[in-house]
Amino acid sequence: MRRRHWIAAAVGGAAAMAVAAAVIVGVTPDRPDAAPTRAERPTPTVTSTPAPTLAAVPAAPSTATLAALPLAFHDAVVPALLDGTTVEPVDTWQIATPRQPLVPLYAESTARARPVATLSNRVSTIDLPAATAVWGRSPAVDGGMLLLSTPARNRTPGDGGDPDAPSATFAWARAADFTITTTDRMIRVDVARSTVSVITRAGEQTATEAARLGTPEDPTPTATATYVEAAYVDTRVTYTQGNPIILTGAHSARIPSYGGNAALTALHFYPDPTGSSHGCVRISAEMTRTLAALPVGTPIRFT
């Protein structure tokens, strides 16, 4: 019995080996349409996408060229500067600070553009560091070109002037001439509602209050994009009572001058809580301090 059992087991084992061999033979493909083995699979072709060729920007002008150009400052009129009829400012939430004492400004964002004015790294007459708001960018080499607010006019309103003179002007500039920083705050002057607010990038109001604005004869600018040119205290302006003056890059669109300057628009304290201004924005002492804490170059929208 034991011997027959052993023989049966041997026979069974041989049969199992035969089956295994059959299985091994069965999985070896010999058909022409069988899937290729790993070694036979084709290698995928990798195609690289060439980097786009960026446009050029104007070459940096010489020191002599810069010195011969008009300076775009708050009392200047530079006809070549742009306004809202030729460019459309877009909120970029960026501030540009000049890297050199004078940087060139352009009327177009092409490599062939010639500078039309200069912007200083100091605010004239009060000698404070300058910065401005960025309202657009033209892609090109070295960061491209920036659409910036300027503190000058391109036309003068009033008697003998242009009745359509804008309140604010813009210019293109080489991004390489500026240090760019981001901000999450903007000032909004709602002329229709007579309010001043600080708006975040998310659309929230962090501060807001009623303001006293100009009259139809001396109106506060509207539909205007500009920037905080400076925030400073001037004790000679006695009605501000030592509170900060927030100077903007906007001018009156109706009068050519006021108080010895080119009718600049400012946000400032005024002790009389009633009445109207000559185009400036009268706010509380607390709001002047809130706005003065914002960086120079902060964008402003007059709506």
Side-chain angles (χ1 to χ4, degrees):
M1 293 293 294
R2 290 181 179 176
R3 183 176 178 85
R4 286 196 295 268
H5 178 75
W6 180 88
I7 292 172
V11 173
M17 291 178 63
V19 171
V23 171
I24 293 172
V25 172
V27 298
T28 303
D30 57 0
R31 301 188 308 274
D33 59 344
T37 63
R38 182 182 299 273
E40 296 170 339
R41 291 173 183 167
T43 302
T45 301
V46 178
T47 303
S48 59
T49 302
T53 301
L54 293 175
V57 297
S62 66
T63 302
T65 298
L66 288 175
L69 292 168
L71 177 66
F73 73 107
H74 59 265
D75 276 348
V77 179
V78 183
L81 295 177
L82 309 172
D83 58 53
T85 64
T86 53
V87 294
E88 184 176 353
V90 177
D91 298 332
T92 71
W93 304 88
Q94 292 182 328
I95 294 172
T97 303
R99 293 177 181 268
Q100 295 89 27
L102 287 178
V103 293
L105 300 177
Y106 302 84
E108 58 180 349
S109 57
T110 66
R112 66 177 183 276
R114 297 290 182 265
V116 297
T118 58
L119 182 69
S120 174
N121 68 346
R122 308 291 294 183
V123 180
S124 60
T125 71
I126 53 178
D127 195 29
L128 292 174
T132 185
V134 179
W135 298 102
R137 184 187 288 265
S138 176
V141 298
D142 298 328
M145 298 188 74
L146 309 172
L147 182 64
L148 306 175
S149 283
T150 93
R153 279 174 158 160
N154 64 4
R155 287 169 281 171
T156 304
D159 294 339
D162 187 338
D164 297 321
S167 295
T169 60
F170 307 87
W172 290 100
R174 297 161 12 115
D177 292 334
F178 294 83
T179 298
I180 310 300
T181 56
T182 59
T183 180
D184 64 348
R185 296 290 188 274
M186 168 187 288
I187 299 172
R188 180 174 297 160
V189 181
D190 189 327
V191 177
R193 293 181 171 84
S194 296
T195 60
V196 174
S197 306
V198 178
I199 308 296
T200 70
R201 191 166 187 171
E204 300 174 351
Q205 289 185 353
T206 61
T208 187
E209 71 174 32
R212 295 173 304 285
L213 307 178
T215 65
E217 292 74 26
D218 297 333
T220 299
T222 187
T224 298
T226 185
Y227 71 111
V228 173
E229 185 178 359
Y232 63 103
V233 173
D234 189 344
T235 56
R236 296 170 298 177
V237 186
T238 56
Y239 56 75
T240 62
Q241 297 183 359
N243 292 294
I245 298 170
I246 294 81
L247 187 66
T248 82
H251 299 74
S252 171
R254 292 289 181 86
I255 56 177
S257 62
Y258 181 81
N261 62 49
L264 291 168
T265 301
L267 293 86
H268 62 78
F269 173 76
Y270 197 82
D272 183 358
T274 63
S276 57
S277 71
H278 289 278
C280 285
V281 181
R282 296 179 180 179
I283 53 179
S284 69
E286 181 180 0
M287 183 60 91
T288 65
R289 292 188 289 271
T290 297
L291 300 185
L294 300 173
V296 173
T298 294
I300 303 174
R301 286 275 191 182
F302 286 86
T303 61

